[in-house]
Amino acid sequence: MTAPENAPAPAGLPSEAQVLEALKVVKDPEIPVNVVDLGLIYGVDVQESGVVDITMTLTSVGCPVQDLIRSDAELAVGRLDGVSEVNVEFVWTPPWGPDKMTEDGKRQMRMFGFNV
């Protein structure tokens, strides 16, 4: 069961915002922007047992760096206090598009010469 947005996390567990902040170190090696600002994170569920389930997508089906992004995400979130396990599930619906990017992500892409 997902806690309501902005609800405090149970004692000793990270909040959804803390998980998203931790995921900002994970970058798609082909695009110089983190997975959060790219809009690749579709959901975060922090369970009372310390298990964190992350639902995310990639910019394309069959992305050759899927395993690397998964392991980077697991390591980044696994470092948070109270996290006992991290599960990353890739989904393809809805498909990713530039409209899912944050304004900061779009700004970063423009800095690297992408037209978004």
Side-chain angles (χ1 to χ4, degrees):
M1 181 173 168
T2 303
E5 189 121 353
N6 298 324
L13 294 176
S15 66
E16 180 178 341
Q18 289 170 313
V19 171
L20 291 172
E21 190 62 33
L23 286 169
K24 286 187 176 183
V25 302
V26 180
K27 295 188 179 190
D28 182 324
E30 299 171 330
I31 303 172
V33 178
N34 69 70
V35 296
V36 175
D37 287 327
L38 274 174
L40 300 179
I41 306 300
Y42 285 178
V44 171
D45 182 24
V46 180
Q47 300 175 33
E48 289 185 22
S49 62
V51 174
V52 177
D53 294 316
I54 299 166
T55 305
M56 67 181 296
T57 195
L58 296 170
T59 56
S60 65
V61 175
C63 178
V65 294
Q66 178 174 335
D67 291 338
L68 175 65
I69 291 174
R70 178 193 311 271
S71 64
D72 286 354
E74 289 170 348
L75 286 170
V77 175
R79 291 184 181 117
L80 295 173
D81 288 341
V83 173
S84 60
E85 182 180 340
V86 180
N87 299 312
V88 176
E89 178 186 4
F90 289 101
V91 296
W92 308 108
T93 304
W96 178 85
D99 59 307
K100 299 213 180 311
M101 295 172 62
T102 65
E103 286 306 312
D104 194 41
K106 291 176 184 177
R107 182 187 55 75
Q108 291 174 57
M109 291 289 283
R110 287 191 292 271
M111 285 176 33
F112 287 103
F114 292 90
N115 186 18
V116 289

